[in-house]
Amino acid sequence: MDETLLLDGKAVARSMKEALEGTIKELKAKGITPKLTTILVGDNPSSHTYVKMKANACHKLGMESERLYLPEETTTEELLSQIKKLNEDEEVHGILLQHPVPKQIDERKAFDAISLAKDVDGVTSHGFGSTAFQLQAYPCCTPAAILEVIDFYNIDVEGKHAVVIGRSPILGKPVSMMLLNRNATVTISHSKTENLEAIVKQADIVVAAVGRPNFVKGDWLKKGAVVIDAGYNEGNIGDCEFESCEPVASAITPVPGGIGPVTIATLLRNTVYAAKEKLINPAHKYV
Ligand code: NAP
């Protein structure tokens, strides 16, 4: 029996960060330190943890990170005015608005206020459209991380049937477009999809982006499927039941240590590119 390949996100992230070190050094020699500003509205404890993790990752690579904390009662207009200031600040190369924002805020309007050249999290409508059309934009981080893992392990995508479970604007939809741009045959499924298990059974590649712990079971899979688990649920649990999926899959990402660390590395890379190129001449292979 062939062994299942464990798709080690930590190794992928390490190699991406190593590849950035030289560019960061060159930029610093020119007096430019890549800087990411993260906006956090309200007191969501998980968001605080994520934002801290991203800041630590920046510092470890010698990048600058700034955290802007806004109160829970912030209005859309107040948030837009902060984003406008950051758009105009020459020293800020990347802007990340931590999701979710409090209910009174028009999240889409806030995301879309981020200038495309600083949209290093790939969350704007313009960024999504540009990614889908393979135009200039920084790709949305988790979807790009999925493609990065696929490339690192030389997984064949062209002509393969990829079933994406989930259609969120930051994950399911963009990763579907990216896989399509790589000539996969893509099925996008969601909470209204009928016969999901039968659809997943046809997949050569399964991307789980559902937000439900252990949702995908091993007996849903075709033997030898590649399983990419983007889920991250409370208690470090993925969207795929690892114990039952691993023996059936030919390759699988663990949770934790799969897509998560690569997502952070992608954010750092997008920010370094933003400091270097400002979208003038990006060589991003996903867009
Ligand atoms: P989301 O916005 O809640 O979207 C979940 C998607 O799953 C929706 O499209 C929903 O369908 C679909 N869905 C829900 N129940 C379903 C069901 N029973 N059958 C089929 N589809 C179903 O979540 P998200 O932001 O995309 O995140 C998804 C997961 O990825 C979460 O676990 C999150 O923590 C994780 N995540 C990880 C990273 C990372 O860095 N590793 C980054 C972002 C997110 P409808 O559209 O019909 O509602």
Side-chain angles (χ1 to χ4, degrees), residues 40 47 49 66 68 96 99 103-104 120 123 132 184 211 244 247:
L40 186 57
S47 294
T49 310
E66 172 187 49
L68 195 61
L96 183 148
H99 162 93
K103 280 194 248 4
Q104 76 279 7
V120 292
V123 293
S244 65

Side-chain angles (χ1 to χ4, degrees), residues 188-237:
I188 309 172
S189 61
H190 45 79
S191 68
K192 305 289 186 287
T193 297
E194 293 179 1
N195 302 321
L196 179 63
E197 292 181 37
I199 293 168
V200 172
K201 199 80 182 174
Q202 298 167 28
D204 301 305
I205 300 167
V206 178
V207 177
V210 199
R212 291 179 168 227
N214 294 328
F215 181 74
V216 176
K217 312 291 181 199
D219 61 7
W220 295 18
L221 302 174
K222 175 162 90 177
K223 180 78 190 145
V226 172
V227 177
I228 308 279
D229 188 350
Y232 194 72
N233 305 292
E234 218 180 299
N236 277 347
I237 298 170

Side-chain angles (χ1 to χ4, degrees), residues 148-175:
E148 194 70 30
V149 169
I150 284 174
D151 285 346
F152 188 89
Y153 286 99
N154 288 319
I155 293 167
D156 208 8
V157 170
E158 184 159 311
K160 303 293 179 205
H161 186 190
V163 173
V164 177
I165 315 175
R167 56 173 167 182
S168 73
I170 57 128
L171 225 175
K173 264 184 202 156
V175 79

Side-chain angles (χ1 to χ4, degrees), residues 228-276:
I228 308 279
D229 188 350
Y232 194 72
N233 305 292
E234 218 180 299
N236 277 347
I237 298 170
D239 286 348
C240 300
E241 188 180 64
F242 191 85
E243 298 68 35
S244 65
C245 288
E246 192 264 349
V248 190
S250 59
I252 186 167
T253 55
V255 176
I259 299 303
V262 190
T263 296
I264 293 185
T266 305
L267 175 68
L268 301 179
R269 185 171 63 186
N270 284 349
T271 306
V272 172
Y273 285 179
K276 189 176 173 216

